[in-house]
Amino acid sequence: MYAVQYADHGGRDVVEYAERADPEVGREDVLVDVKAGALNHLDVWTRKGLPGIDLEMPHVPGCDAAGVVESVGAEVTRFEPGDRVAVTAGVSCGECEFCRDGEESMCVDYHIIGEHVPGVHGELAAVPEDNLVAVPEGVDWETAAAAPLVFQTAWRMLITRADIDPGESVLVLGASGGVGHAAVQIADVAGAEVFATASTAEKLDYARAVGADHAIDYTEEDFAARIRELTDGRGVDVVVDHVAGETWDDSLKSLAKGGRLVTCGATAGGRPQTNVNRVFWNQLSIVGSTMATPGEVDDVLAKVWDGTFEVRVRERLPMSETARAHERLEDREGFGKVVVVPDSEYDD
């Protein structure tokens, strides 16, 4: 088969689309004929090299994909050849205290397909049965591939960890990205007043189209000051910040007293300075979140499959152009997800 891979960490030039052996299928694995994959910033970080993660090289990246079941291992019971499936990338041990309590995404041995172990951006992928969800007929492959990681992440952030209520106000930073455009929609459907930041007029228009009540160009305005203006000095109840870096202090400034900042990542830098005085004086909560439990995945994907939530795809490329897909993510071009398709399936 052909797959996206790289033999060393580095820039986009290390990414290639090359022939390699078909994946081995274990007793609890499902062999998937991949029809589409989707990129996340996680793919960029993994390509560059993450501290403490020693990958077997050459590494196949990719934690989002969808396709048709080709064959199943001897102990697989939920799927059979011909089924339509999508990958949900979080792998938990199933035995620790968190897994026993139904909090699998807090597992002490949690790892992610494509980050810690081989990914799914190839013509074929062997995936544990527990890491697949059924995809209904009528859902296109790009939607099925692009939805799982970002929508489960945003759902857990807002519904479980931030526990938003109807009528609350939510600010979503980076609303044009995968997690951002999912978070805008989830907050809107949950009944929140949604504020969103983005960097161009086109991205702001898209944010409004998917549910933002207010859209702020952070390249033109101090978004914290604008939030104070729009809320008559109060601030918002919840900030969704997966950016960190230089935005962190402004995120805290944007919160009302008793507000919650929920974070799942740090695309602009993972060690921002925190104004601790602001945190304790305004009684703020800083809440971490990552991925989701299987039940949360089922809940949010049901709303993707029925059309409640829309997966925006900014570009569809053949897998042989995955380096270009990385460039699109790094340059923050467009609104929504970038999808890659095996060259053998690409028809544009």
Side-chain angles (χ1 to χ4, degrees), residues 238-292:
V238 174
V239 173
V240 175
D241 186 337
H242 53 94
V243 182
E246 294 181 359
T247 72
W248 188 256
D249 193 50
D250 283 334
S251 291
L252 293 174
K253 288 179 182 178
S254 300
L255 285 167
K257 281 186 174 288
R260 294 97 77 196
L261 188 158
V262 61
T263 179
C264 70
T267 58
R271 296 183 179 274
Q273 290 189 335
T274 297
N275 184 338
V276 177
N277 292 340
R278 185 183 301 278
V279 173
F280 71 71
W281 186 252
N282 289 337
Q283 302 190 50
L284 306 178
S285 298
I286 298 174
V287 183
S289 185
T290 188
M291 304 295 282

Side-chain angles (χ1 to χ4, degrees), residues 3 34 162 189 208 265 267 310 337 344:
V34 175
V189 169
R208 294 185 189 96
T267 58
E310 176 187 357
K337 298 297 295 288
S344 57

Side-chain angles (χ1 to χ4, degrees), residues 155 158-159 164-168 184-193 309:
W155 181 268
L158 285 165
I159 303 303
I164 61 172
D165 289 322
E168 288 196 302
V184 167
Q185 295 180 68
I186 291 167
D188 178 50
V189 169
E193 182 179 10
F309 299 139

Side-chain angles (χ1 to χ4, degrees), residues 66-121:
V68 177
V69 174
E70 182 83 7
S71 63
V72 300
E75 297 180 14
V76 171
T77 60
R78 293 174 49 229
F79 300 103
E80 59 185 30
D83 285 349
R84 293 162 51 88
V85 294
V87 176
T88 178
V91 182
S92 55
C93 72
E95 298 176 355
C96 70
E97 60 178 299
F98 300 103
C99 289
R100 292 194 302 270
D101 289 341
E103 287 290 352
E104 292 89 345
S105 70
M106 296 175 69
C107 172
V108 297
D109 191 32
Y110 198 77
H111 58 281
I112 298 173
I113 292 171
E115 179 182 5
H116 304 87
V117 296
V120 290
H121 286 177

Side-chain angles (χ1 to χ4, degrees), residues 170-233:
V170 175
L171 167 62
V172 179
L173 302 191
S176 64
V179 170
H181 94 295
V184 167
Q185 295 180 68
I186 291 167
D188 178 50
V189 169
E193 182 179 10
V194 183
F195 301 77
T197 71
S199 61
T200 68
E202 180 185 20
K203 291 177 180 180
L204 295 171
D205 286 342
Y206 276 128
R208 294 185 189 96
V210 297
D213 299 294
H214 313 276
I216 302 166
D217 185 339
Y218 67 82
T219 68
E220 299 289 339
E221 296 184 272
D222 178 330
F223 74 80
R226 181 62 174 149
I227 288 293
R228 290 289 171 182
E229 180 182 347
L230 290 169
T231 60
D232 295 326

